[in-house]
């Protein structure tokens, strides 16, 4: 560009972006398709109890890290913050299952996380660590895990996530101090996003509050519209992506070319501005990241739009948030930049590249915040840079629908504690307005991906049904001492993960519910081949002799035993096995006439996978059915009762 070879410059710029973007897409398409997107909806669903295929696998972690680096380097309008949450969860999952046998990374001292609850807690800490690292906001990370990620929370988890994010903050600070010596390229210019705006305390009056209310309304409307359009675009993309890896890569290449054309072509529309007198920074900046990009301008001038496009995302946000720069950006440049970022943010999310939504949303929000601030300049005492902060808050509230965590993250980012009342106000207004239109962006993506997510509240129509109305049959139960052939047949013809165990005469006087046995535990017991010729109840001591506690522990992803792995002779199939030693004798049960709404709330609040439904009257078979997550899904209930109105 310095030699005025503008077309060659575009080919070099677009070509670099294309190679980086295509490489990221190829990694995603061929190695780990689950790494595409932000990963926050998947982590949220996992912490709700939905273990989707390979979302936390080591291959997903690898592609998430390198795909995210390539995607951000490739000039796409996307953030690394969402992927960092997923990365934190993947690392936590890898530690929680004692490493990975497939990739020869195992640590015996990590065996202690072999149950669902500890694994879930560890992954919650990983998600909090991701946010803390992305925004350098340790308290914001804890609140993000509480407000958005985790479905089950307990007091012990609070200090554990707090400890995790405190360690993240210390390590990050040490790395940034090391990078300040100039050994880390652009990273040494202040690390991840950190804007220290607190130079003087702003005063604000009634007219400013009116402006902030307007900003909140704008954020709510734009946020609702953003979610609506994103939902439509993702549905189109899913059709394209289903055609296979080449289609995914082609879509990514197309978006890369569009992004390069916009970011290179649009600055030509902006007029050149003379460099500000007495600026602390070099103007124009050449060959590095900075506030004043020369682009095609003559010496001593800079292009405001190029200064936003040709910068790291962090520096672009820092430019918009900076104080005392009322005249740095033309109004036309801000309008063009807002429209470009808003549209590019929509079309970029959903391609086969790890991509977050935080950065595009903060950039777009900060831009229209600065526009409002500039328009109200003569009437308001608040600096346009602070209006940019409030605009970012309003757009985050309108798209993500998070309040407390976004508020704290923004305050930790900017050190603007005296802006707390205004940020709170603008977030609440934008969330309230946007909630009138649709759900939050992550909730929409969870629904679109078909993940059976359970909400904290029961749907109103559930009050008209009872637990026995929705249990799906036929019910398959085992006797306390069951024939091996019956167990093997049941495991082969069903995909159930839990089976009720019922004692019948002569083992007991009358049919009696013993408890619930898990498929994984039955498979471990069968693999021991400790069978009996007679149908008699044993002491269970053979289980302690033959197996250790870790044999029954939760296996890592893809390492569980399958019924196809076991072969039995005709003689063994006619023998018996005692299920009493491995049966959970205190499962959660509800009576069949219990309101379905209450059963659903109980199911989610306790984090259950199986809820046994027992009869109300004596003399019947001791179990009616098992409620699982599938039985409580709206699609299943409306399939059984098509006349049930959703509004009831």
């Amino acid at each position: 560009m310095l030699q005025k070879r503008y077309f060659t410059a575009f080919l070099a710029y677009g070509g670099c972006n294309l190679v980086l973007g295509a490489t990221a897409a190829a990694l995603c398409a061929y190695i780990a398709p689950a790494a595409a997107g932000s990963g926050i909806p998947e982590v949220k669903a996992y912490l709700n109890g939905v273990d989707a295929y390979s979302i936390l696998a080591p291959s997903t972690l690898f592609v998430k890290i390198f795909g995210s680096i390539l995607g951000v380097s490739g000039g796409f309008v996307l953030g690394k913050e969402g992927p960092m949450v997923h990365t934190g969860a993947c690392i936590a999952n890898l530690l929680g299952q004692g490493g990975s046998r497939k990739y020869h990374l195992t640590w015996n001292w990590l065996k202690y996380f072999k149950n669902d609850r500890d694994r879930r807690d560890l992954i919650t800490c990983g998600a909090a660590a991701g946010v803390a690292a992305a925004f350098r906001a340790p308290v914001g990370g804890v609140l993000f895990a509480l407000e958005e990620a985790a479905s089950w929370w307990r007091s012990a988890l609070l200090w554990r996530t707090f400890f995790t994010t405190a360690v993240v903050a210390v390590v990050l600070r040490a790395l940034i101090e090391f990078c300040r010596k100039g050994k880390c390229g652009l990273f040494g210019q202040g690390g991840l996003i950190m804007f220290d705006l607190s130079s003087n305390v702003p005063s604000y009056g009634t007219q400013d509050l009116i402006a902030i209310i307007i900003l909140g309304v704008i954020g709510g409307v734009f946020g609702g519209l953003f979610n609506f359009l994103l939902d439509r675009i993702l549905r189109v993309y899913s059709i394209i992506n289903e055609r296979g890896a080449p289609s995914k890569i082609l879509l990514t290449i197309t978006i890369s070319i569009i992004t390069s054309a916009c970011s290179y072509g649009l600055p030509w529309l902006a007029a050149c501005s003379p460099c500000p007198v007495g600026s602390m920074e070099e103007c124009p900046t050449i060959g590095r990241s900075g506030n004043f990009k020369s682009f095609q301008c003559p010496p001593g001038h800079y292009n405001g739009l190029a200064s936003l496009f040709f910068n790291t995302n962090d520096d672009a946000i820092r430019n918009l948030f900076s104080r005392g720069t009322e005249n740095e950006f033309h109004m036309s440049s801000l309008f063009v930049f807002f429209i470009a970022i808003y549209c590019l943010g929509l079309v970029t999310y959903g391609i086969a590249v790890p991509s977050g939504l935080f950065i595009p949303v903060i950039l777009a929000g900060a831009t229209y915040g600065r526009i409002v601030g500039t328009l109200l300049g003569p009437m308001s005492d608040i600096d346009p840079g602070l209006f940019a902060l409030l605009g970012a808050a309003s757009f985050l509230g309108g798209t993500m629908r998070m309040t407390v965590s976004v508020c704290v993250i923004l305050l930790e980012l900017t050190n603007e504690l005296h802006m707390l009342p205004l940020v709170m106000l603008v977030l609440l207004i934008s969330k309230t307005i946007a909630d009138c239109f649709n759900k939050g962006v992550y909730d929409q993506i969870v629904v679109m991906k078909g993940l059976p997510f359970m909400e904290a509240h029961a749907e109103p129509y559930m009050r008209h049904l009872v637990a026995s109305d929705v249990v799906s049959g036929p019910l398959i139960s085992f006797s306390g001492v069951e024939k091996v052939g019956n167990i093997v047949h049941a495991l082969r013809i069903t995909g159930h993960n839990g089976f009720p165990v019922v004692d019948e005469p002569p083992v007991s006087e009358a049919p009696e519910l013993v408890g619930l046995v898990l498929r994984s535990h039955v498979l471990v017991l069968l693999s021991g081949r400790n069978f009996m010729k007679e149908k008699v109840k044993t002491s269970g001591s053979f289980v302690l002799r033959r197996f250790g506690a870790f044999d029954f522990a939760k296996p890592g992803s893809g390492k569980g035993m399958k019924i196809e792995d076991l072969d039995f002779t005709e003689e063994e199939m006619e023998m018996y096995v005692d299920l009493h030693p491995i049966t959970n004798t205190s499962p959660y049960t509800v009576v069949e006439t219990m309101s379905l709404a209450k059963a659903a709330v109980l199911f989610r609040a306790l984090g259950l996978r199986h809820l046994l439904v027992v009869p109300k009257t004596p003399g019947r078979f001791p179990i009616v059915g098992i409620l699982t997550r599938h039985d409580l899904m709206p699609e299943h209930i409306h399939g059984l009762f098509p006349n049930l109105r959703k509004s009831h």
Side-chain angles (χ1 to χ4, degrees), residues 356-534:
L357 279 172
F358 271 102
I359 291 295
V361 166
I362 291 175
L363 269 173
T367 308
Y368 74 67
R370 198 170 178 97
I371 290 170
V372 171
T374 310
L375 287 172
L376 298 174
M379 299 150 53
S380 174
D381 297 328
I382 300 180
D383 189 276
L386 290 178
F387 267 111
L389 169 65
L390 294 168
S394 74
F395 201 23
L396 280 168
T399 50
M400 314 283 181
R401 312 293 157 84
M402 293 183 278
T403 48
V404 184
S405 50
V406 165
C407 182
V408 172
I409 286 169
L410 285 171
L411 295 178
E412 285 186 281
L413 273 181
T414 55
N415 286 350
E416 284 283 2
L417 197 57
H418 43 262
M419 293 295 286
L420 177 64
L422 299 184
V423 174
M424 287 170 72
L425 181 66
V426 82
L427 274 167
L428 286 169
I429 292 168
S430 64
K431 176 184 162 38
T432 308
I433 297 289
D435 277 340
C436 299
F437 301 115
N438 45 34
K439 286 183 170 183
V441 65
Y442 297 132
D443 294 322
Q444 280 190 188
I445 294 167
V446 164
V447 171
M448 205 195 75
K449 291 198 169 192
L451 300 168
F453 188 86
M454 284 199 72
E455 299 291 347
H457 57 275
E459 298 293 341
Y461 56 79
M462 289 184 177
R463 295 190 202 119
H464 305 289
L465 300 170
V466 293
S468 61
D469 287 338
V470 297
V471 285
S472 44
L475 178 69
I476 294 176
S477 63
F478 294 145
S479 298
V481 182
E482 184 62 88
K483 189 183 279 190
V484 174
N486 292 350
I487 296 175
V488 171
H489 180 66
L491 293 178
R492 279 183 179 153
I493 64 166
T494 68
H496 301 335
N497 279 308
F499 299 89
V501 177
V502 178
D503 268 348
E504 296 185 71
V507 179
S508 62
E509 291 178 12
E512 171 194 345
L513 178 65
V514 179
L516 183 80
V517 68
L518 295 180
R519 170 185 281 263
S520 57
H521 293 179
V522 172
L523 288 168
V524 172
L525 190 66
L526 289 176
S527 69
R529 299 177 188 275
N530 208 307
F531 306 142
M532 307 171 296
K533 294 234 168 99
E534 301 297 323

Side-chain angles (χ1 to χ4, degrees), residues 143-160:
L143 291 171
F144 174 85
L146 168 61
E147 186 179 4
E148 185 66 15
S151 292
W152 298 284
W153 195 264
R154 52 205 181 92
S155 55
L157 197 51
L158 187 66
W159 72 260
R160 284 173 183 167

Side-chain angles (χ1 to χ4, degrees), residues 560-609:
M561 204 181 291
K562 296 180 177 65
I563 186 65
E564 291 78 18
D565 303 335
L566 301 174
D567 275 323
F568 300 102
T569 62
E570 289 290 329
E571 189 184 356
E572 284 175 329
M573 294 287 260
E574 293 302 316
M575 295 172 84
Y576 293 90
V577 64
D578 188 359
L579 296 175
H580 289 95
I582 60 162
T583 301
N584 172 12
T585 53
S586 55
Y588 287 96
T589 61
V590 294
V591 74
E592 61 183 338
T593 52
M594 184 190 228
S595 158
L596 187 62
K598 274 190 179 179
V601 169
L602 182 73
F603 191 94
R604 187 188 189 277
L606 295 170
L608 304 180
R609 288 185 72 185

